[in-house]
Coordinates of all heavy atoms in Angstrom, one line a residue:
Chain A
M1 N 9.8 1.8 16.5 CA 9.4 1.6 15.1 C 7.9 1.6 14.9 O 7.2 1.0 15.7 CB 9.9 0.3 14.5 CG 11.3 0.5 13.8 SD 11.1 1.4 12.3 CE 12.9 1.6 11.9
T2 N 7.4 2.3 13.9 CA 6.0 2.3 13.7 C 5.5 1.1 12.9 O 4.4 1.0 12.5 CB 5.5 3.6 13.0 OG1 6.4 3.8 11.9 CG2 5.6 4.8 13.9
D3 N 6.5 0.2 12.6 CA 6.1 -1.1 12.1 C 5.2 -1.7 13.2 O 5.5 -1.6 14.4 CB 7.3 -2.0 11.9 CG 8.0 -1.8 10.6 OD1 7.4 -1.1 9.8 OD2 9.1 -2.3 10.4
P53 N -15.7 27.8 22.8 CA -14.7 26.9 23.4 C -14.4 25.6 22.5 O -15.3 25.2 21.8 CB -15.4 26.5 24.7 CG -16.8 26.7 24.5 CD -16.9 27.8 23.5
R60 N -16.6 11.0 22.5 CA -17.6 11.9 22.0 C -18.8 11.0 21.8 O -18.8 10.0 21.2 CB -17.2 12.4 20.6 CG -15.8 13.2 20.6 CD -16.0 14.6 21.0 NE -14.8 15.4 20.8 CZ -14.7 16.7 21.2 NH1 -15.7 17.2 21.8 NH2 -13.6 17.4 21.0
V61 N -19.9 11.5 22.4 CA -21.2 10.7 22.4 C -22.1 11.4 21.4 O -22.6 12.5 21.6 CB -21.8 10.6 23.8 CG1 -23.0 9.7 23.7 CG2 -20.8 10.1 24.8
H62 N -22.3 10.7 20.3 CA -23.2 11.2 19.2 C -24.7 10.7 19.4 O -24.8 9.6 20.0 CB -22.8 10.7 17.8 CG -21.4 11.2 17.4 ND1 -21.3 12.2 16.5 CD2 -20.2 10.9 17.9 CE1 -20.0 12.4 16.3 NE2 -19.3 11.7 17.1
S63 N -25.6 11.4 19.0 CA -27.0 10.9 19.0 C -27.6 10.9 17.6 O -27.5 11.9 16.9 CB -27.9 11.7 20.0 OG -27.4 11.6 21.3
Y64 N -28.3 9.8 17.2 CA -28.9 9.8 15.9 C -30.3 9.4 16.0 O -30.8 8.8 17.0 CB -28.1 8.7 15.1 CG -26.7 9.0 14.9 CD1 -25.7 8.4 15.7 CD2 -26.3 9.9 13.9 CE1 -24.4 8.7 15.6 CE2 -24.9 10.2 13.7 CZ -24.0 9.6 14.6 OH -22.7 9.9 14.4
E65 N -31.0 9.7 14.9 CA -32.4 9.4 14.8 C -32.5 8.3 13.8 O -32.1 8.5 12.6 CB -33.1 10.6 14.3 CG -34.6 10.6 14.2 CD -35.1 11.9 13.6 OE1 -34.4 12.9 13.7 OE2 -36.2 11.9 13.0
V66 N -32.9 7.1 14.2 CA -32.9 5.9 13.3 C -34.4 5.8 12.9 O -35.3 5.6 13.7 CB -32.4 4.7 13.9 CG1 -32.4 3.5 12.9 CG2 -31.0 4.9 14.4
E67 N -34.7 5.9 11.6 CA -36.0 5.8 11.1 C -36.6 4.4 11.2 O -35.9 3.4 11.1 CB -36.1 6.4 9.7 CG -36.2 7.9 9.7 CD -36.4 8.5 8.3 OE1 -36.7 7.7 7.4 OE2 -36.2 9.7 8.2
L69 N -38.3 0.9 10.2 CA -38.2 0.0 9.1 C -38.9 -1.2 9.3 O -38.7 -1.9 10.3 CB -36.7 -0.3 8.9 CG -36.4 -1.1 7.6 CD1 -36.5 -0.3 6.4 CD2 -34.9 -1.7 7.8
P73 N -39.7 0.0 15.1 CA -40.1 1.4 15.2 C -38.9 2.3 15.1 O -37.7 1.9 15.2 CB -40.7 1.4 16.6 CG -40.0 0.3 17.4 CD -39.7 -0.8 16.3
R81 N -18.2 7.4 20.8 CA -17.1 7.1 19.8 C -15.7 7.4 20.5 O -15.5 8.5 21.1 CB -17.3 8.1 18.6 CG -16.2 8.0 17.5 CD -16.7 8.8 16.3 NE -16.9 10.2 16.6 CZ -15.9 11.0 16.8 NH1 -14.6 10.7 16.6 NH2 -16.1 12.3 17.1
S93 N 1.2 3.3 11.5 CA 2.1 3.1 10.5 C 2.4 4.3 9.6 O 3.5 4.4 9.0 CB 1.7 1.9 9.5 OG 0.4 1.9 9.3
V94 N 1.5 5.3 9.7 CA 1.9 6.6 8.9 C 2.8 7.5 9.7 O 3.3 8.4 9.2 CB 0.6 7.4 8.5 CG1 -0.3 6.5 7.6 CG2 -0.1 7.9 9.7
C95 N 2.9 7.3 11.0 CA 3.7 8.2 11.9 C 5.1 8.2 11.4 O 5.8 7.2 11.4 CB 3.6 7.7 13.3 SG 4.6 8.8 14.4
P96 N 5.7 9.4 11.1 CA 7.0 9.4 10.6 C 8.1 9.4 11.7 O 9.3 9.2 11.4 CB 7.1 10.8 9.9 CG 6.1 11.6 10.7 CD 5.0 10.7 11.1
T97 N 7.7 9.5 13.0 CA 8.7 9.7 14.0 C 8.8 8.5 15.0 O 9.7 8.4 15.8 CB 8.4 10.9 14.9 OG1 7.2 10.7 15.6 CG2 8.3 12.2 14.1
G98 N 7.8 7.6 15.0 CA 7.8 6.5 15.9 C 7.1 7.0 17.2 O 7.1 6.2 18.2
E113 N 4.2 11.5 23.6 CA 4.1 12.9 23.2 C 5.5 13.6 23.2 O 5.6 14.7 22.7 CB 3.2 13.6 24.2 CG 1.7 13.2 24.0 CD 0.8 13.8 25.0 OE1 1.1 14.8 25.6 OE2 -0.3 13.3 25.1
D114 N 6.5 13.0 23.7 CA 7.8 13.6 23.7 C 8.5 13.5 22.3 O 9.4 14.1 22.0 CB 8.7 13.1 24.7 CG 8.3 13.4 26.1 OD1 7.6 14.5 26.2 OD2 8.5 12.7 27.1
C116 N 6.3 13.2 19.4 CA 5.4 13.7 18.4 C 5.8 15.1 17.9 O 6.2 16.0 18.6 CB 4.0 13.8 19.0 SG 2.8 14.4 17.9
I117 N 5.8 15.2 16.5 CA 6.1 16.5 15.9 C 4.9 17.3 15.5 O 5.0 18.4 15.0 CB 7.0 16.3 14.7 CG1 6.4 15.4 13.6 CG2 8.4 15.8 15.1 CD1 7.1 15.4 12.3
G118 N 3.7 16.7 15.8 CA 2.5 17.4 15.5 C 2.2 17.6 14.0 O 1.7 18.6 13.6
C119 N 2.5 16.5 13.2 CA 2.2 16.6 11.7 C 0.8 16.3 11.4 O 0.3 16.6 10.3 CB 3.1 15.8 10.9 SG 2.8 14.0 11.1
S123 N -4.0 11.6 12.5 CA -5.5 11.9 12.6 C -6.2 11.8 11.2 O -7.3 11.4 11.2 CB -5.7 13.3 13.2 OG -5.3 14.3 12.3
W124 N -5.4 12.1 10.2 CA -6.0 11.9 8.8 C -6.1 10.4 8.5 O -7.0 10.1 7.7 CB -5.1 12.5 7.8 CG -4.9 14.0 7.9 CD1 -5.4 14.9 8.8 CD2 -4.3 14.9 6.9 NE1 -5.1 16.2 8.5 CE2 -4.4 16.2 7.4 CE3 -3.5 14.6 5.7 CZ2 -3.8 17.3 6.7 CZ3 -3.0 15.7 5.1 CH2 -3.1 17.0 5.5
A125 N -5.3 9.6 9.0 CA -5.3 8.2 8.7 C -6.4 7.4 9.5 O -6.6 6.3 9.2 CB -3.9 7.6 9.0
C126 N -7.0 8.1 10.5 CA -8.0 7.4 11.3 C -9.4 7.7 10.8 O -9.8 8.9 10.9 CB -7.8 7.8 12.8 SG -9.2 7.1 13.8
G129 N -12.0 9.1 13.7 CA -11.8 10.4 14.4 C -11.4 10.2 15.9 O -11.8 11.0 16.7
Y133 N -6.0 16.7 18.1 CA -4.7 17.5 18.2 C -4.8 18.6 19.3 O -5.8 19.2 19.4 CB -4.4 18.1 16.9 CG -3.2 18.9 16.7 CD1 -1.9 18.3 16.7 CD2 -3.3 20.3 16.6 CE1 -0.8 19.1 16.6 CE2 -2.1 21.0 16.4 CZ -0.9 20.4 16.4 OH 0.2 21.2 16.3
E137 N -0.3 22.4 22.9 CA 0.9 21.7 23.1 C 1.6 21.4 21.8 O 2.8 21.0 21.8 CB 0.7 20.4 23.9 CG 0.3 20.6 25.4 CD 0.0 19.3 26.0 OE1 -1.2 18.9 25.9 OE2 0.9 18.7 26.6
G138 N 0.9 21.4 20.7 CA 1.5 21.1 19.4 C 1.7 19.6 19.3 O 2.6 19.2 18.5
V195 N -20.1 -6.2 16.7 CA -19.6 -5.9 15.3 C -18.4 -4.9 15.4 O -18.2 -4.2 16.3 CB -20.7 -5.3 14.4 CG1 -21.8 -6.3 14.1 CG2 -21.3 -4.0 15.1
L197 N -16.6 -1.6 13.6 CA -17.1 -0.4 12.8 C -16.3 -0.3 11.5 O -15.1 -0.6 11.5 CB -16.8 0.8 13.7 CG -17.5 0.9 15.0 CD1 -17.3 2.2 15.7 CD2 -19.0 0.6 14.9
M198 N -16.9 0.0 10.5 CA -16.3 0.1 9.1 C -15.4 -1.0 8.8 O -14.2 -0.8 8.5 CB -15.5 1.4 9.0 CG -16.3 2.7 9.2 SD -15.5 4.2 8.6 CE -16.0 5.4 9.8
E200 N -15.1 -2.8 6.3 CA -14.6 -2.8 4.9 C -13.2 -2.2 4.7 O -12.5 -2.4 3.8 CB -15.6 -2.2 3.9 CG -16.1 -0.8 4.2 CD -17.3 -0.8 5.1 OE1 -17.2 -1.3 6.3 OE2 -18.4 -0.3 4.7
L201 N -12.9 -1.3 5.7 CA -11.6 -0.6 5.6 C -10.4 -1.5 6.0 O -9.2 -1.2 5.7 CB -11.5 0.7 6.4 CG -12.5 1.8 6.0 CD1 -12.3 3.0 6.8 CD2 -12.2 2.1 4.5
Y203 N -9.2 -2.2 9.1 CA -8.4 -1.8 10.3 C -8.5 -2.8 11.4 O -7.8 -2.7 12.4 CB -8.8 -0.4 10.7 CG -8.4 0.8 9.9 CD1 -8.7 0.8 8.5 CD2 -7.7 1.9 10.4 CE1 -8.3 1.9 7.7 CE2 -7.3 2.9 9.6 CZ -7.6 2.9 8.2 OH -7.2 4.0 7.5
Chain B
M1 N -11.1 18.2 3.7 CA -10.0 18.4 4.5 C -9.6 19.9 4.5 O -9.7 20.6 3.5 CB -8.8 17.6 4.0 CG -9.1 16.1 3.8 SD -9.4 15.3 5.4 CE -7.8 15.4 6.2
H60 N 4.4 24.0 9.4 CA 3.0 23.4 9.6 C 3.0 22.5 10.8 O 2.0 22.2 11.4 CB 2.6 22.8 8.3 CG 1.7 21.6 8.5 ND1 0.3 21.7 8.5 CD2 1.9 20.3 8.5 CE1 -0.3 20.5 8.6 NE2 0.7 19.6 8.6
L61 N 4.2 22.0 11.3 CA 4.3 21.1 12.4 C 4.0 21.8 13.7 O 4.2 23.0 13.9 CB 5.7 20.5 12.4 CG 6.1 19.7 11.2 CD1 7.5 19.2 11.4 CD2 5.2 18.5 10.9
G62 N 3.5 21.0 14.7 CA 3.3 21.5 16.0 C 4.6 21.7 16.8 O 4.7 22.6 17.6
Q63 N 5.5 20.8 16.5 CA 6.8 20.9 17.1 C 7.9 20.8 16.1 O 8.6 19.8 15.9 CB 6.9 19.7 18.1 CG 5.9 19.6 19.2 CD 6.3 20.5 20.3 OE1 7.4 21.1 20.4 NE2 5.4 20.7 21.3
R66 N 11.5 19.2 16.5 CA 11.7 17.7 16.5 C 11.6 17.1 15.1 O 11.6 15.9 15.0 CB 10.6 17.1 17.4 CG 10.6 17.5 18.8 CD 9.4 16.8 19.5 NE 9.2 17.4 20.9 CZ 8.1 17.2 21.5 NH1 7.1 16.5 21.0 NH2 7.9 17.7 22.8
R69 N 13.3 13.9 13.9 CA 12.8 12.5 14.2 C 12.1 11.8 13.1 O 11.9 10.6 13.0 CB 11.8 12.6 15.4 CG 12.5 12.9 16.7 CD 11.5 12.8 17.9 NE 12.1 13.1 19.1 CZ 12.8 12.2 19.9 NH1 13.0 11.0 19.5 NH2 13.3 12.6 21.0
A70 N 11.6 12.7 12.1 CA 10.8 12.1 11.0 C 11.6 11.3 10.0 O 11.1 10.7 9.1 CB 10.1 13.3 10.3
S72 N 13.2 8.6 10.9 CA 13.4 7.3 11.4 C 12.5 6.2 11.0 O 12.8 5.0 11.0 CB 13.3 7.4 13.0 OG 12.0 7.8 13.3
Q73 N 11.3 6.5 10.5 CA 10.3 5.5 10.3 C 10.1 5.2 8.8 O 8.9 4.9 8.4 CB 9.0 5.9 10.9 CG 9.1 6.2 12.4 CD 9.7 5.0 13.2 OE1 9.2 3.9 13.1 NE2 10.7 5.3 14.0
R75 N 10.4 2.6 7.2 CA 9.9 1.3 6.8 C 8.4 1.3 6.7 O 7.9 0.4 6.0 CB 10.4 0.3 7.9 CG 11.9 0.0 7.8 CD 12.2 -1.3 8.5 NE 11.8 -1.3 9.9 CZ 12.2 -2.2 10.7 NH1 13.0 -3.2 10.3 NH2 11.8 -2.2 12.0
S76 N 7.7 2.2 7.4 CA 6.2 2.1 7.3 C 5.6 3.4 6.8 O 4.5 3.4 6.3 CB 5.6 1.8 8.6 OG 5.8 2.8 9.5
S77 N 6.3 4.6 6.9 CA 5.6 5.8 6.7 C 6.1 6.5 5.5 O 7.3 6.8 5.3 CB 5.9 6.7 7.9 OG 5.6 8.1 7.7
L79 N 5.5 9.6 4.8 CA 6.0 11.0 5.2 C 7.5 10.9 5.6 O 8.3 11.8 5.2 CB 5.2 11.5 6.3 CG 5.5 12.9 6.9 CD1 5.6 13.9 5.8 CD2 4.6 13.3 8.0
K132 N -6.6 5.6 3.5 CA -7.9 5.0 3.2 C -9.1 5.9 3.6 O -10.2 5.9 3.0 CB -8.0 3.7 3.9 CG -7.3 2.6 3.1 CD -7.7 1.2 3.7 CE -6.6 0.2 3.6 NZ -6.8 -0.9 4.5
P133 N -9.0 6.7 4.7 CA -10.2 7.4 5.1 C -10.5 8.6 4.2 O -11.5 9.3 4.4 CB -9.8 7.9 6.5 CG -8.8 7.0 7.0 CD -8.0 6.7 5.8
V202 N -18.2 4.1 2.2 CA -18.6 3.5 3.5 C -19.9 4.3 3.9 O -20.0 5.5 3.7 CB -17.5 3.7 4.6 CG1 -18.0 3.1 5.9 CG2 -16.2 3.1 4.1
S206 N -22.6 1.5 8.5 CA -21.4 0.8 8.7 C -20.5 1.5 9.8 O -19.9 0.8 10.6 CB -20.6 0.6 7.4 OG -19.4 0.1 7.6
A207 N -20.5 2.8 9.7 CA -19.7 3.5 10.7 C -20.2 3.4 12.1 O -19.5 3.5 13.1 CB -19.6 5.0 10.3
L208 N -21.6 3.1 12.2 CA -22.2 3.0 13.5 C -22.4 1.5 13.9 O -22.9 1.3 15.0 CB -23.5 3.7 13.5 CG -23.5 5.2 13.2 CD1 -24.9 5.8 13.2 CD2 -22.7 5.9 14.3
G209 N -22.0 0.6 13.1 CA -22.2 -0.8 13.4 C -23.7 -1.3 13.3 O -24.1 -2.3 13.9
L210 N -24.5 -0.5 12.5 CA -25.9 -0.9 12.3 C -26.0 -1.7 11.0 O -25.3 -1.4 10.1 CB -26.8 0.3 12.3 CG -26.8 1.1 13.6 CD1 -27.9 2.2 13.5 CD2 -27.2 0.2 14.8
R214 N -31.1 1.2 6.9 CA -32.0 2.0 7.7 C -31.5 3.5 7.6 O -30.3 3.7 7.6 CB -32.0 1.6 9.2 CG -32.7 0.3 9.4 CD -32.9 0.0 10.8 NE -34.0 0.8 11.4 CZ -34.4 0.5 12.7 NH1 -33.9 -0.4 13.4 NH2 -35.4 1.2 13.1
S215 N -32.4 4.4 7.5 CA -32.1 5.7 7.3 C -31.7 6.3 8.7 O -32.4 6.2 9.7 CB -33.2 6.5 6.7 OG -33.2 7.8 7.1
I216 N -30.5 6.9 8.8 CA -30.0 7.4 10.1 C -29.7 8.9 9.9 O -28.9 9.3 9.1 CB -28.7 6.6 10.5 CG1 -29.0 5.1 10.5 CG2 -28.3 7.1 11.9 CD1 -27.7 4.3 10.4
K217 N -30.3 9.7 10.8 CA -30.0 11.1 10.7 C -29.4 11.6 12.0 O -29.7 11.0 13.1 CB -31.3 11.9 10.5 CG -31.8 11.8 9.0 CD -33.0 12.7 8.8 CE -34.3 12.1 9.4 NZ -35.5 12.8 9.0
F219 N -29.2 13.5 15.2 CA -30.2 14.0 16.1 C -29.5 15.1 16.9 O -30.1 16.2 17.1 CB -30.8 12.9 17.0 CG -31.7 13.4 18.0 CD1 -32.9 14.1 17.7 CD2 -31.4 13.3 19.4 CE1 -33.7 14.5 18.7 CE2 -32.3 13.7 20.4 CZ -33.4 14.3 20.0
E220 N -28.4 14.8 17.5 CA -27.7 15.8 18.3 C -26.2 15.5 18.2 O -25.7 14.3 18.3 CB -28.1 15.6 19.7 CG -27.8 16.8 20.6 CD -28.3 16.6 22.0 OE1 -28.3 15.5 22.6 OE2 -28.7 17.6 22.6
P222 N -22.2 15.6 19.5 CA -21.6 15.4 20.8 C -21.3 16.8 21.5 O -21.1 16.8 22.7 CB -20.4 14.6 20.6 CG -20.4 14.2 19.2 CD -21.3 15.1 18.5
H223 N -21.1 17.8 20.7 CA -20.6 19.1 21.2 C -21.3 20.2 20.5 O -21.6 20.1 19.3 CB -19.1 19.2 21.1 CG -18.6 18.6 19.8 ND1 -18.5 19.3 18.7 CD2 -18.2 17.3 19.6 CE1 -18.0 18.5 17.7 NE2 -17.8 17.3 18.2
E225 N -20.1 23.3 20.1 CA -19.2 24.1 19.3 C -18.4 23.1 18.4 O -18.7 21.9 18.4 CB -18.2 24.8 20.2 CG -18.8 25.6 21.3 CD -19.8 26.7 20.7 OE1 -19.4 27.4 19.7 OE2 -20.9 26.9 21.3
N227 N -14.9 21.1 16.9 CA -13.8 20.5 17.6 C -12.7 20.3 16.6 O -12.8 20.7 15.4 CB -14.2 19.2 18.3 CG -14.4 18.0 17.4 OD1 -14.5 18.2 16.1 ND2 -14.6 16.8 17.9
Y228 N -11.6 19.7 17.0 CA -10.5 19.5 16.0 C -10.9 18.8 14.8 O -10.5 19.2 13.7 CB -9.4 18.7 16.7 CG -8.3 18.2 15.8 CD1 -7.4 19.0 15.2 CD2 -8.3 16.8 15.4 CE1 -6.5 18.6 14.3 CE2 -7.3 16.4 14.5 CZ -6.4 17.2 14.0 OH -5.5 16.8 13.1
L229 N -11.8 17.8 14.9 CA -12.2 17.0 13.7 C -13.0 17.8 12.8 O -12.8 17.8 11.6 CB -13.0 15.8 14.2 CG -12.3 14.8 15.1 CD1 -13.3 13.8 15.6 CD2 -11.2 14.1 14.4
R231 N -13.0 21.0 12.5 CA -12.1 22.0 11.9 C -11.2 21.5 10.9 O -11.0 22.1 9.8 CB -11.3 22.7 13.0 CG -11.1 24.1 12.9 CD -10.8 24.9 14.1 NE -9.7 24.3 14.9 CZ -9.1 25.0 15.9 NH1 -9.5 26.2 16.2 NH2 -8.2 24.4 16.6
E232 N -10.6 20.3 11.1 CA -9.6 19.8 10.3 C -10.2 19.0 9.1 O -9.7 19.0 8.0 CB -8.6 18.9 11.1 CG -7.5 18.3 10.3 CD -6.3 19.2 10.2 OE1 -6.4 20.4 10.7 OE2 -5.3 18.8 9.5
M233 N -11.2 18.2 9.3 CA -11.7 17.3 8.3 C -13.0 17.7 7.7 O -13.4 17.2 6.6 CB -12.0 15.9 8.9 CG -11.0 15.5 10.0 SD -9.5 14.8 9.4 CE -8.7 14.4 11.0
H300 N -13.4 13.5 4.3 CA -12.8 12.5 5.2 C -14.0 11.6 5.8 O -15.1 12.1 6.0 CB -12.1 13.2 6.4 CG -11.2 12.2 7.2 ND1 -11.7 11.4 8.1 CD2 -9.9 12.0 7.2 CE1 -10.7 10.7 8.7 NE2 -9.6 11.1 8.1
L301 N -13.8 10.3 6.0 CA -14.8 9.4 6.4 C -15.4 9.8 7.8 O -16.5 9.4 8.1 CB -14.3 8.0 6.4 CG -14.1 7.3 5.0 CD1 -13.7 5.9 5.2 CD2 -15.4 7.4 4.2
V302 N -14.6 10.5 8.6 CA -15.1 10.8 9.9 C -16.3 11.8 9.8 O -17.1 11.8 10.8 CB -14.0 11.5 10.8 CG1 -13.8 12.9 10.5 CG2 -14.3 11.3 12.3
Y305 N -19.8 10.7 10.8 CA -20.4 10.7 12.2 C -21.1 12.1 12.5 O -21.8 12.2 13.4 CB -19.3 10.5 13.2 CG -18.7 9.1 13.3 CD1 -17.5 8.8 12.7 CD2 -19.5 8.1 13.8 CE1 -17.0 7.5 12.8 CE2 -19.0 6.8 13.8 CZ -17.8 6.5 13.3 OH -17.3 5.2 13.3
Y306 N -20.8 13.1 11.6 CA -21.2 14.4 11.9 C -22.4 14.9 11.0 O -22.6 14.3 10.0 CB -20.1 15.4 11.8 CG -19.2 15.4 13.1 CD1 -18.1 14.6 13.1 CD2 -19.6 16.1 14.2 CE1 -17.4 14.5 14.3 CE2 -18.9 16.0 15.4 CZ -17.7 15.2 15.4 OH -17.0 15.1 16.5

Side-chain angles (χ1 to χ4, degrees):
Chain A
M1 268 289 173
T2 50
D3 274 349
R60 301 279 189 183
V61 185
H62 297 253
S63 296
Y64 299 96
E65 186 184 335
V66 183
E67 276 183 14
L69 182 75
R81 181 171 57 78
S93 41
V94 300
C95 176
T97 68
E113 289 178 19
D114 292 333
C116 177
I117 58 173
C119 71
S123 67
W124 293 7
C126 174
Y133 178 73
E137 290 176 272
V195 292
L197 302 184
M198 303 195 211
E200 55 270 62
L201 293 182
Y203 286 53
Chain B
M1 304 294 295
H60 148 90
L61 300 178
Q63 297 281 354
R66 297 179 190 163
R69 287 188 182 275
S72 63
Q73 304 302 312
R75 290 201 302 194
S76 69
S77 166
L79 180 53
K132 281 191 211 168
V202 179
S206 170
L208 299 178
L210 296 185
R214 290 189 78 170
S215 152
I216 306 161
K217 283 188 284 191
F219 173 63
E220 197 177 39
H223 36 88
E225 308 301 317
N227 71 353
Y228 167 70
L229 299 173
R231 215 160 51 167
E232 183 81 1
M233 328 278 183
H300 195 282
L301 286 183
V302 81
Y305 291 107
Y306 282 92

